[in-house]
Amino acid sequence: MTQTTSQPTTRRFTFRTLILLLIPIVLLAGVIALFLSTGGGLDLESPAPVENLAVENYVLEQNEIQLHVRNTGPDELRIASVIINDAVMPFTVTPSPTISRLGSAEIHVNYAWSEGEAYGITIFTGNAIPFAVDIPVAFETPQPSARTFWGFTLIGLYVGVIPVFLGIFWFPALRQLGRRTMTFLMAATAGLLIFLGLDTLAEALEAAAAVPSAFQGIGLIGIGAVATFLLLDAISRRQTEVTGSETDRRLSIALMIAIGIGFHNLGEGLAIGAAYNVGEIALGTFLVVGFIIQNITEGLGIIAPVLRDRPGLGRLALMGLIGGAPAIVGAWIGGYTPSPFLAVLFLAIGTGAIFEVVYEIAKLIQKDTARESMPMTVFSGVLTGMLLLWVTGLLIK
């Protein structure tokens, strides 16, 4: 008796399939249209206007205050008046005082503000709904110039590039250590990244509070973190299938650590640049010093997976730049155009990248300790890494 193996039937996307997919969508559109036209038997008219105006940032120039606003309410609104410290001020709005939903505008107020003073600004819409913004310290907003550009670049170098490279300089000394010590360092790197990932997530949640509700900051964090985690996991699996080399795998993990740390340093640069942008010089200086101390441990985290290999100076330098240089970009963005939306997105991406790297390191540790179990070494390493960042974090928070 001859056995025949059935071949899988090849399915093709046909016009009939397209029609079957579109029918529920068309019917759903009809249901929505019917509900909107009839109100579902309910009176859907709001007894009071629902408006929401978000002040995304402000710019102080000589004798002028600029307010960058966005309409995050359900309907269009109109800017009617601007009050500064209880005084009604003349103003202009570009492109128009009437702002459509999710539209943005710039409010220009001619006002002779004094440096170092605090100001309270209230914006009234056409429906007499107030929206307030406070300027805690009046300070001329840094404008793009060669001097400020170089200044923010130096801040990024101090915060990101230099300390990360100083951590990488431990590479020759750490190569002399034994197998158990290297496992301890890998576990310490995992602990360091766990703490870093939790800290990045907390910063993202804090930044999400400043994002207009229409942009759903919490959802943005979820999208950025989950998408980054899955994307890096797919890339890692693909590289493992292609190369299969243990050395290349460890190098790939080190590179992903650098990428995750890079996104975290991008968020740090944003925070420092934004502090300088609004004149909080003392806060900015404090953050710079604290981050310099903390970020030297990030260089250690980058080199930990490749301590038993010889990656070469070029690759070590590249990973150092990937991990540290984003702090420069973050300082530029935060110093010139601070954006809560971008801050949340970058921090969410950093969160996903960091936790994916922790997952890869855990698999690497499990493989390295398959012959000789070292649970206490792994435990003490993870705890040491977390405590190390907690202690250095005391200088920043």
Side-chain angles (χ1 to χ4, degrees):
M1 183 176 180
T2 305
Q3 270 190 331
T4 58
T5 57
S6 59
Q7 298 294 328
T9 305
T10 303
R11 302 284 185 179
R12 292 187 302 171
F13 189 84
T14 62
F15 181 74
R16 179 173 178 271
T17 305
L18 177 63
I19 294 298
L20 291 175
L21 288 173
L22 289 178
I23 287 175
I25 298 175
V26 173
L27 292 176
L28 179 64
V31 171
I32 293 173
L34 178 64
F35 174 77
L36 293 177
S37 61
T38 63
L42 300 174
D43 182 11
L44 298 180
E45 291 294 329
S46 175
V50 178
E51 295 180 336
N52 194 10
L53 186 70
V55 181
E56 295 185 331
N57 67 292
Y58 55 82
V59 175
L60 272 64
E61 297 181 353
Q62 190 172 8
N63 296 325
E64 184 181 62
I65 298 176
Q66 298 176 18
L67 303 170
H68 297 260
V69 299
R70 185 177 298 275
N71 175 15
T72 57
D75 302 306
E76 69 174 23
L77 58 78
R78 181 175 60 85
I79 305 297
S81 62
V82 177
I83 297 176
I84 300 180
N85 287 359
D86 299 326
V88 179
M89 302 301 301
F91 67 95
T92 59
V93 183
T94 57
S96 169
T98 301
I99 309 174
S100 60
R101 182 177 186 271
L102 297 182
S104 60
E106 291 183 7
I107 302 174
H108 300 262
V109 184
N110 292 324
Y111 189 82
W113 53 271
S114 300
E115 186 168 342
E117 297 291 332
Y119 294 95
I121 303 176
T122 305
I123 304 169
F124 281 92
T125 65
N127 290 309
I129 299 177
F131 297 94
V133 58
D134 293 323
I135 301 177
V137 181
F139 178 86
E140 187 166 357
T141 304
Q143 298 298 319
S145 67
R147 182 175 177 273
T148 57
F149 182 84
W150 177 241
F152 285 126
T153 302
L154 282 177
I155 289 174
L157 286 171
Y158 286 134
V159 168
V161 178
I162 293 176
V164 168
F165 271 101
L166 288 177
I168 291 176
F169 283 161
W170 275 323
F171 184 81
L174 295 179
R175 277 181 54 83
Q176 311 301 318
L177 303 177
R179 179 172 174 270
R180 184 176 291 272
T181 306
M182 286 191 177
T183 300
F184 174 84
L185 288 176
M186 284 291 293
T189 299
L192 183 149
L193 291 172
I194 290 171
F195 191 96
L196 206 61
L198 293 173
D199 186 61
T200 306
L201 178 60
E203 291 177 8
L205 292 170
E206 184 179 348
V211 174
S213 58
F215 292 110
Q216 306 167 73
I218 301 298
L220 186 63
I221 294 173
I223 292 171
V226 174
T228 303
F229 184 98
L230 294 177
L231 177 62
L232 289 180
D233 183 59
I235 293 173
S236 174
R237 292 175 186 273
R238 179 67 176 172
Q239 287 179 335
T240 302
E241 292 173 0
V242 171
T243 63
S245 168
E246 191 64 29
T247 300
D248 289 341
R249 176 170 171 75
R250 287 195 292 266
L251 182 63
S252 173
I253 291 175
L255 181 60
M256 285 191 290
I257 291 175
I259 292 172
I261 287 174
F263 275 107
H264 177 79
N265 285 335
L266 181 66
E268 291 181 352
L270 284 168
I272 296 170
Y276 277 99
N277 180 272
V278 297
E280 296 180 357
I281 305 299
L283 172 61
T285 304
F286 189 64
L287 288 175
V288 170
V289 175
F291 286 141
I292 288 174
I293 296 172
Q294 186 184 56
N295 288 356
I296 192 172
T297 60
E298 296 176 353
L300 172 63
I302 291 173
I303 62 175
V306 293
L307 286 176
R308 60 183 70 174
D309 306 314
R310 296 184 180 274
L313 290 177
R315 289 185 173 179
L316 288 175
L318 177 61
M319 289 189 290
L321 286 175
I322 292 174
I328 300 175
V329 180
W332 290 340
I333 297 173
Y336 292 135
T337 56
S339 169
F341 182 88
L342 288 179
V344 171
L345 180 60
F346 290 146
L347 290 169
I349 292 173
T351 301
I354 289 170
F355 281 118
E356 203 286 328
V357 174
V358 172
Y359 173 63
E360 294 294 332
I361 291 177
K363 291 193 294 184
L364 197 60
I365 292 174
Q366 186 179 27
K367 187 173 183 179
D368 288 345
T369 57
R371 295 182 180 179
E372 180 187 357
S373 179
M374 294 182 282
M376 291 307 298
T377 301
V378 174
F379 165 76
S380 59
V382 171
L383 186 62
T384 299
M386 297 185 73
L387 284 174
L388 187 63
L389 278 192
W390 181 79
V391 171
T392 55
L394 293 176
L395 301 172
I396 301 173
K397 303 300 180 181

